[in-house]
Amino acid sequence: MATPATTPGTTGTETTGAASAAIAASAGAASAGAEAIRTWLTERVAYFLDVRPQDIAADDLLVEIGLDSVYALTLCGDVEDEFGILVEATLAWDHPTIDALTAHIHSELAAR
């Protein structure tokens, strides 16, 4: 049985520079992915409400800032189209803030 080659003075369990970079890139991509989702959601909701994206806080309750049932259903279809996932019609009520929606969508995409 062959054993993996190690560099003299190492145990073979150290993370190489390339592996460390890959792990860091993967973690960065995950957070960048969540940020991209958050930005997209904020822009969509702002469009529906006819406000500027910067006027929507990530922890605002969507119903309190004016997202009605028609736009909530439209958002479901937009999420399905944009991210290629199926969501419940109650998405905006089950996850009532941009942050909650972001976390849910990000976890759904990560589960693939």
Side-chain angles (χ1 to χ4, degrees):
M1 173 186 236
T3 57
T6 60
T7 305
T10 66
T11 63
T13 59
E14 291 84 3
T15 303
T16 66
S20 292
I23 292 168
S26 176
S31 65
E35 190 57 38
I37 294 167
R38 182 177 291 105
T39 299
W40 183 87
L41 285 167
T42 302
E43 290 172 354
R44 292 305 301 153
V45 170
Y47 173 78
F48 294 146
L49 301 178
D50 197 24
V51 298
R52 299 176 312 160
Q54 55 268 35
D55 293 337
I56 298 174
D59 60 350
D60 284 344
L61 291 174
L62 298 173
V63 69
E64 288 184 3
I65 61 173
L67 192 73
D68 64 18
S69 59
V70 172
Y71 284 134
L73 284 174
T74 303
L75 182 62
C76 290
D78 290 350
V79 166
E80 290 180 345
D81 292 344
E82 181 70 17
F83 300 104
I85 59 174
L86 293 176
V87 296
E88 296 293 325
T90 58
L91 177 72
W93 313 128
D94 295 340
H95 309 281
T97 66
I98 296 291
D99 277 344
L101 284 168
T102 298
H104 176 71
I105 293 167
H106 190 258
S107 70
E108 289 292 312
L109 293 172
R112 288 176 153 195

